[in-house]
Amino acid sequence: MIRRRLGLLARSVLLGLGARGLVPARRAVGSPVAGAVPVVMCLWNRPDRLERVLDGIAAQQGDRPVRLMLWNNQRRDRARYAELLRHRRPDRALASVEIVDSPLNIGGLARFFVLARLRRTGFAGPVILLDDDQEISPTFVSELLAASTPASVRGVWAWAIGSGGYWDRTPATGEEAGYVGTGGCVLDASIVDDRRFFTALPLNHLYLEDIWMNSVARRLGWTLAHVDAGYSFVEEEVGQHHTLADAKAEFFDYLRSPAADRAWTSARR
């Protein structure tokens, strides 16, 4: 019981610090440069992928360098990542890499703690979120940036949602979308300026940050849209989204309920 309470306390402290952008990151490659576009990625169960990710970022073609910001949720891989990054140098589009070694696994919500950190340092503009199972074309970053607009979320994994719930969906082919996945999207970093992004999120749905991001964007009056940019998925067998299928549908339905409206209204701003 004591151990469980200490674990809950540690998570609460980490969530509070993260929401304020106070979780420290280590500079692993180079230093952030002016005009660099932040690309944010969480690391969990694909340690072999990081080198390919770095190569894919370095190969990007565009006018802006990339500031890769990593959040590692897997304690056992810390040394492995540190050794890999120790031998990397700024390379073509890859201007810098920063990494947070989290003491706890808080899932993909960590992406938004990185956004809070950026906002705390005065950053304004678009941020790209990327999954480590995505192979991206050399124009991927520039295509997402070209599609970005203030107060919007736009991405490659976008769906139109029907009346039957989360899984009643078809690929979004036009501008409007009902859902945009966090992997391979570009969004305005200011989405975390409304503190309810963190305070209104039900803790039992902590790992469904993609559905939550879409709900918050809608509540803020933002637009959701599809972007056509070159990418492919790899290593589908190690993905964890299959185990969350029922939870995603349940959470999606909840977020359209009066109870969710009341929770949003009463949450700390």
Side-chain angles (χ1 to χ4, degrees):
M1 178 64 73
I2 293 177
R3 186 174 181 178
R4 181 174 181 273
R5 288 179 177 175
L6 288 174
L8 292 174
L9 177 61
R11 185 173 73 167
S12 177
V13 170
L14 180 58
L15 294 179
L17 292 174
R20 292 170 174 79
L22 294 173
V23 177
R26 174 174 61 87
R27 291 184 183 179
V29 176
S31 297
V33 299
V37 56
V39 173
V40 178
M41 176 183 291
C42 285
L43 306 173
W44 169 241
N45 62 350
R46 298 184 183 93
D48 294 331
R49 285 284 304 150
L50 182 55
E51 188 164 14
R52 290 292 299 272
V53 168
L54 296 171
D55 291 343
I57 294 295
Q60 290 301 295
Q61 300 169 1
D63 298 331
R64 295 176 62 180
V66 173
R67 176 184 182 182
L68 183 61
M69 307 183 76
L70 304 172
W71 183 291
N72 174 27
N73 275 314
Q74 184 58 270
R75 293 171 61 94
R76 71 181 180 218
D77 292 329
R78 288 183 182 180
R80 185 171 181 177
Y81 290 140
E83 180 64 18
L84 172 61
L85 293 170
R86 186 177 299 119
H87 296 286
R88 297 290 301 211
R89 296 292 182 271
D91 177 17
R92 294 168 289 166
L94 180 65
S96 63
V97 181
E98 299 148 77
I99 186 168
V100 175
D101 284 313
S102 180
L104 299 170
N105 175 22
I106 55 171
L109 183 66
R111 313 168 196 265
F112 299 97
F113 291 166
V114 175
L115 265 62
R117 177 181 173 84
L118 283 167
R119 294 294 285 170
R120 188 176 183 87
T121 61
F123 176 84
V127 175
I128 291 173
L129 307 184
L130 191 64
D131 280 345
D132 60 359
D133 64 344
Q134 289 178 303
E135 291 278 5
I136 59 176
S137 72
T139 57
F140 188 85
V141 168
S142 60
E143 287 172 328
L144 285 180
L145 285 179
S148 67
T149 62
S152 73
V153 181
R154 298 169 180 261
V156 297
W157 188 250
W159 300 85
I161 307 295
S163 59
Y166 178 74
W167 294 110
D168 178 17
R169 65 189 197 180
T170 55
T173 55
E175 277 293 300
E176 282 295 315
Y179 167 90
V180 176
T182 45
C185 78
V186 59
L187 74 163
D188 189 331
S190 68
I191 195 170
V192 296
D193 290 358
D194 191 315
R195 292 271 297 149
R196 289 174 295 182
F197 190 99
F198 302 105
T199 62
L201 173 61
L203 289 182
N204 59 319
H205 294 301
L206 189 65
Y207 294 95
L208 302 177
E209 80 290 339
D210 57 334
I211 295 178
W212 180 243
M213 174 190 73
N214 282 270
S215 176
V216 172
R218 287 290 193 193
R219 290 183 182 279
L220 296 178
W222 288 26
T223 59
L224 305 174
H226 172 257
V227 178
D228 188 14
Y231 80 102
S232 61
F233 286 120
V234 298
E235 298 182 352
E236 181 68 17
E237 69 277 3
V238 299
Q240 62 182 357
H241 64 276
H242 300 295
T243 61
L244 299 174
D246 292 340
K248 283 176 175 285
E250 175 188 340
F251 191 35
F252 184 86
D253 289 342
Y254 163 76
L255 290 172
R256 297 191 294 180
S257 71
D261 293 339
R262 291 192 295 270
W264 176 262
T265 301
S266 61
R268 289 181 290 111
R269 292 176 178 267

